[in-house]
Every structure is written in structure tokens, then in C-alpha cells.
Amino acid sequence: MHIHIFKLSIPFITDPPSDFLDQWSVQLYVKIEANDTVGWGETGVFGSGIIGAYSSILEDLVIPFLERFRGESPAETETVLEKVMLTAGNCGVVTGAISSIEMGLWDIKAKRLGTSLGDLLGGKIRERVPIYASFPRYRSQKDIVSTALKARERGFRMIKLHQPPSTALDALKEVREKVGYDLKVALDMNAPFDLHSAKKFVDGASKYEVEWIEEPIWPTDDYNSLEKLCEYSSVPIAAGENEYTINGFKRLLGTGISYVQPDIAKIGGVSKFLRILDLASSYSVKVAPHDRPDSSPLSLAYALQISSARSEISTIEYTISDFPHDLFRNLPEVFNGYATVPKGNGIGIEIIEDALKKYSYIQKLRLLAFSDLENRLKEKEQI
Ligand SMILES: [Mg+2]
């Protein structure tokens, strides 16, 4: 078995330009070659783009481990790797690094059986899956409104805004006044509030028919405050993109959230994702898988394949920012608020390996400050 790591900076293309542009464009892809079969997986690089932390786990432990203990199933691999990294923690960088390997092993498994991943996971119940248009952060209300209108023209039925707490409600009001109410709107807050501030925010948002408010509470594991907010809020609450463990998801699902949002490239891959679907079903909570602003068709292909076989997934985050189209073949088609499940063996999409060379990783400081923290950082910036 040979494993190749690709550290990438695939451009993040937005029109109008996004405030997120400088912080993203970091991808870590993994290619696994096992005899004649190739599987691809992705590690979601978060934490302001700390790619070396993830790649060193792959290079120092995961790749030597797989070379020595070949023949493990994807689920066993994920479990064993989590256990041998116990003292490094069971979330964040650790599970993110495992994700790409575990995903790639599933891709290989399906290809060897001559089937799609969706069919391997129980058989397709749908050929296309609802998606919603996830906006990056924009600089002006005008840009938000024009993008909302374009999204509606493209057939999207729902959008999600990523504006900071200081302007999110103004942006929402503007969208309702200029675009109307036939487009569902969710607000992603990226965890800025204590309970008191979150209640005030919910009060302000509730009159605008909000589909959900996402990650309102800081810190993200303050389950007590989240539970109190869910009891209080007339607007559905969503969370889960910063949850990693099965017990963490149980606690989160117990708070009363309406949507849970696991990220397959963060939590450890397909096997844990399937366990979270089972859990969400037992709590009757809808699943809306997370994706990030610098769109990656690789992670999306996994989410679509799993969604094709599992009805718990109600909608998938679909980033409207574009990416170079010389990197992939057989991408999902997007129309009327749906994405098609790529046909073919494994995950369906193909990665054009030669084209990846054009998008080698660019190292730079990428401080990802989602909330109004970015304004404070700008004030302190020396250059
Ligand atoms: Mg989010």
C-alpha cells in the first residue's frame, strides 16, 4: 500500500469578493494506492490552516501504521488509530488526520467490489440530494443581496449567511426586504455569544422566518447554555461542525438542537459519520452535513454518496464559491436546489492528479476570526 499526501492551496473564487479570501485555500488530500486500486480522501484543515499538524500525524504515525498493519477495515482502522493516539486527544487534529485515510479506504473498498459507495452502504434511495447555498462572508449588504438573487436564479431554495454578529441581523433584514420570503435563510454565527447575548440575538432574528441559527453559543461545548437556548428559542438551532466524539454528539443531540452538522473530513471519516446518523435518528434530529467556505468537491462527494443511501440527511451545505474546474471529473450537477450523486464506482468523482501540481500549498498566516474578533485583530495589526 502506498499513501501520498497532497498539501494544496486550491484557489477560492468568489464574485463578489469575500472577506474570507485571505483565511482559506488550504486542502489536504490523500491518495491511497492498494494494488491496482486507488482511493482518495480529504482531511479538513481547520485551526487557521495548520496543515503541518495534520500532515505530521499522517507521516509520523498513520502511514507507517498502515504499511505495517495492512488489511484492516476502514472502521477498524479509525478505531485503532483513535486509541493509539489517545494521549494526543480524541478530537480536532487527531480525528481530522484519520478522516482522509479512512475515507480513502472506503473508496477502495467500493471500487474493488465494483460498486458506488452509496450502494455499498445499503443501496441508493435517491439520485439527488437537497443542498443549500452557503455564502462566504461579504463586505456589504449589496453584495449579500445580489448573491442571494443569483442563488435564487440558480434554483437554490435556501441560503446561509456568514456575517459577523454586529451586522448579521441587518443583513437578514436587507435580504428579506430586497429578496423576499420565498428563499429560506439560515444564519451561521460561528459561536460568538454567551447565553444572554444569544437570547437577545434570537429575539432579533425571530421575526424574519429564519430556517436555523447555527452555532450561537461560545464555547461550542457549553451544552448547558445551548440546552437553555434551545428551550427558549422560537428559531431552530443547529450545531455540530465542531463536535468530534460519539459522546460529544450524544450530549449535543440531547440539548434539543434541530439540526446536527457533522463534518466527515473532521470527525474521522465515513464509519463515525454513519454512527452519528444512527444517533441523530434515535434523537429525531435532522442531519445537515457541514462543508467549509473554500469548497472541496472531494468531501462533498462523500457526503452525497452517504446521503444517497441514508434518509436522515435533510440537506447538505454547498459552498457557492467556485474552484478551478481542471482538477476534477464527473462532478455533481447542481440544479433546483439539488446536487446529483456522482455515478461510477467508489465516490464517483475523479481527481486529475497532474492538475494538483498547479495548486501547491502556499504557506502564510491565515487567522480565521469568524466573529467580531477580526475587527479587534485589525486594530492590533502592525502592518
Ligand atoms: Mg457553520
Side-chain angles (χ1 to χ4, degrees):
M1 181 182 287
H2 297 285
I3 299 171
H4 309 267
I5 296 172
F6 295 87
K7 292 185 190 175
L8 303 165
S9 282
I10 300 173
F12 169 26
I13 303 162
T14 64
D15 178 25
S18 163
D19 271 356
F20 280 166
L21 264 185
D22 290 337
Q23 293 104 325
W24 292 88
S25 293
V26 185
Q27 288 85 6
L28 198 165
Y29 287 4
V30 162
K31 176 190 171 193
I32 306 175
E33 287 178 293
N35 298 322
D36 292 333
T37 314
V38 170
W40 288 89
E42 177 171 10
T43 282
V45 176
F46 289 85
S48 295
I50 48 170
I51 196 166
Y54 294 91
S55 63
S56 74
I57 289 178
L58 292 167
E59 286 159 357
D60 293 345
L61 176 74
V62 177
I63 293 173
F65 167 84
L66 282 172
E67 284 168 354
R68 186 157 162 190
F69 297 97
R70 61 188 61 186
E72 298 272 8
S73 75
E76 282 172 327
T77 301
E78 187 264 327
T79 308
V80 171
L81 284 172
E82 269 197 27
K83 284 183 179 167
V84 298
M85 282 191 271
L86 166 70
T87 47
N90 58 0
C91 64
V93 177
V94 167
T95 53
I98 295 170
S99 296
S100 52
I101 294 292
E102 205 268 1
M103 290 154 84
L105 292 174
W106 275 102
D107 192 18
I108 286 175
K109 189 168 183 165
K111 284 171 177 165
R112 280 190 177 151
L113 292 168
T115 186
S116 69
L117 182 60
D119 278 334
L120 178 61
L121 298 178
K124 285 186 185 166
I125 54 171
R126 49 186 166 176
E127 299 288 338
R128 54 184 192 152
V129 181
I131 54 174
Y132 67 89
S134 186
F135 287 17
R137 179 169 298 172
Y138 289 117
R139 287 169 199 165
S140 70
Q141 314 285 30
K142 189 169 145 272
D143 288 348
I144 296 166
V145 168
S146 70
T147 310
L149 291 169
K150 270 192 264 175
R152 192 172 61 183
E153 273 170 34
R154 285 181 67 190
F156 283 104
R157 294 155 191 188
M158 175 174 163
I159 63 171
K160 185 171 79 181
L161 309 185
H162 274 101
Q163 298 309 114
S166 55
T167 59
L169 291 180
D170 289 340
L172 174 62
K173 181 169 179 277
E174 191 83 351
V175 168
R176 286 308 189 210
E177 285 175 1
K178 303 267 171 61
V179 183
Y181 281 77
D182 59 343
L183 196 60
K184 293 178 183 175
V185 182
L187 300 177
D188 192 343
M189 301 317 298
N190 298 109
F193 299 129
D194 61 18
L195 178 59
H196 176 70
S197 309
K199 284 181 174 176
K200 277 174 62 181
F201 186 83
V202 164
D203 289 343
S206 58
K207 63 183 169 195
Y208 295 110
E209 293 184 18
V210 178
E211 191 65 12
W212 72 59
I213 294 174
E214 180 170 326
E215 288 200 311
I217 296 285
W218 174 259
T220 53
D221 61 354
D222 182 356
Y223 305 106
N224 290 334
S225 293
L226 196 58
E227 184 171 356
K228 285 178 185 148
L229 185 67
C230 287
E231 280 171 16
Y232 175 85
S233 178
S234 56
V235 180
I237 303 295
E241 68 179 78
N242 288 305
E243 199 63 73
Y244 301 89
T245 67
I246 292 298
N247 281 325
F249 275 101
K250 279 183 190 166
R251 291 196 66 185
L252 185 64
L253 289 161
T255 61
I257 57 169
S258 300
Y259 292 87
V260 67
Q261 301 168 302
D263 186 323
I264 193 163
K266 290 177 91 171
I267 57 170
V270 175
S271 311
K272 198 188 278 181
F273 196 95
L274 297 173
R275 291 170 70 195
I276 292 161
L277 291 183
D278 291 339
L279 260 183
S281 179
S282 71
Y283 282 83
S284 297
V285 172
K286 293 173 189 162
V287 182
H290 172 253
D291 202 359
R292 72 280 173 85
D294 52 345
S295 176
S296 174
L298 185 48
S299 285
L300 177 68
Y302 276 92
L304 287 169
Q305 288 290 343
I306 296 171
S307 302
S308 75
R310 298 289 297 248
S311 60
E312 296 92 335
I313 295 169
S314 62
T315 183
I316 297 177
E317 182 164 14
Y318 181 84
T319 302
I320 55 160
S321 54
D322 209 355
F323 49 84
H325 282 252
D326 57 354
L327 291 173
F328 308 95
R329 278 193 206 102
N330 203 25
L331 286 171
E333 290 169 38
V334 172
F335 60 96
N336 291 339
Y338 286 85
T340 56
V341 180
K343 290 190 170 34
N345 292 340
I347 55 171
I349 69 162
E350 288 174 46
I351 292 170
I352 302 164
E353 195 176 331
D354 282 346
L356 291 178
K357 291 174 196 150
K358 282 193 263 178
Y359 305 106
S360 295
Y361 173 62
I362 298 165
Q363 185 165 21
K364 64 176 183 176
L365 181 63
R366 294 174 168 85
L367 287 181
L368 185 59
F370 272 123
S371 66
D372 289 318
L373 177 63
E374 64 188 314
N375 295 329
R376 281 161 52 198
L377 288 173
K378 274 178 197 156
E379 283 168 20
K380 288 176 187 288
E381 201 169 11
Q382 292 177 25
I383 48 172

